[in-house]
């Protein structure tokens, strides 16, 4: 373990102890380095920046409430990712069923013009450009940005 890792670990340990005793500022400083990557993770799972905002807020609230149960057997980062993933899965479970375009119209007799096909999934929103520039988006999105 190098000195930088020990310093980070000691800093995290101190903030963790203060946050467990109810210091909201210490908790904010503890999770702030992970906020951007957690938001990108939620966005990838949910396909919506707005839903990612809600899931991240829920995840951080769950982390604040469950801080006393964090035993340190894993890193704080992986613990926060697990909470964020569970918050996203809960949000997905509460969503209404997505309607596929074929479910919208009556059956066709096969003789008419079908028109132009839908070429993209309409419920997936693009991720914010700032996150792309900071390297928080998926690798494919970063590649597209770099090539454009």
């Amino acid at each position: 373990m190098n000195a930088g890792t020990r310093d980070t670990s000691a800093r995290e340990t101190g903030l963790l102890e203060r946050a467990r005793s109810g210091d909201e500022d210490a908790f904010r400083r503890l999770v702030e380095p992970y906020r951007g990557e957690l938001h990108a993770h939620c966005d990838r799972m949910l396909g919506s920046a707005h839903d990612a905002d809600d899931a991240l807020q829920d995840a951080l609230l769950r982390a604040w409430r469950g801080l006393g149960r964090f035993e340190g057997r894993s890193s704080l980062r992986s613990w926060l990712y697990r909470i964020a993933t569970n918050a996203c899965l809960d949000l997905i479970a509460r969503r209404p069923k997505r309607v596929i375009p074929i479910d919208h119209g009556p059956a066709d007799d096969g003789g008419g013009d079908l028109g132009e096909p839908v070429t993209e999934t309409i419920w997936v929103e693009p991720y914010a450009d700032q996150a792309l520039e900071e390297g928080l988006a998926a690798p494919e999105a970063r590649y597209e940005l770099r090539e454009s």
Side-chain angles (χ1 to χ4, degrees):
M1 183 184 310
N2 64 26
T5 305
R6 279 193 298 268
D7 291 343
T8 301
S9 180
R11 179 187 156 278
E12 240 180 42
T13 303
L15 288 173
L16 185 60
E17 290 306 316
R18 288 181 35 213
R20 282 183 173 153
S21 66
D23 185 346
E24 292 179 22
D25 184 55
F27 178 75
R28 182 191 54 75
R29 290 179 30 214
L30 188 63
V31 299
E32 193 63 36
Y34 307 109
R35 182 180 288 273
E37 65 185 88
L38 288 170
H39 188 272
H41 173 69
C42 292
D43 183 71
R44 284 186 210 117
M45 286 190 70
L46 300 169
S48 165
H50 300 293
D51 288 345
D53 291 340
D54 293 342
L56 180 59
Q57 183 177 7
D58 184 36
L60 293 178
L61 183 60
R62 289 179 187 191
W64 171 251
R65 289 179 178 161
L67 202 54
R69 293 187 304 273
F70 176 63
E71 299 173 355
R73 291 185 294 174
S74 64
S75 68
L76 179 68
R77 181 177 182 264
S78 65
W79 184 69
L80 290 170
Y81 264 87
R82 188 177 77 233
I83 293 171
T85 298
N86 288 336
C88 290
L89 292 174
D90 290 346
L91 188 62
I92 290 169
R94 288 191 307 263
R95 281 181 177 169
K97 182 181 177 249
R98 299 259 189 210
V99 179
I100 301 173
I102 198 168
D103 295 337
H104 283 294
D108 188 27
D109 63 2
D113 180 31
L114 298 178
E116 293 296 316
V118 176
T119 59
E120 64 182 74
T121 307
I122 57 174
W123 58 76
V124 176
E125 299 173 6
Y127 198 65
D129 289 340
Q130 177 186 5
L132 288 171
E133 293 165 4
E134 293 173 0
L136 298 174
E140 302 85 25
R142 292 194 309 266
Y143 174 79
E144 288 295 325
L145 178 67
R146 202 171 40 247
E147 292 298 311
S148 65

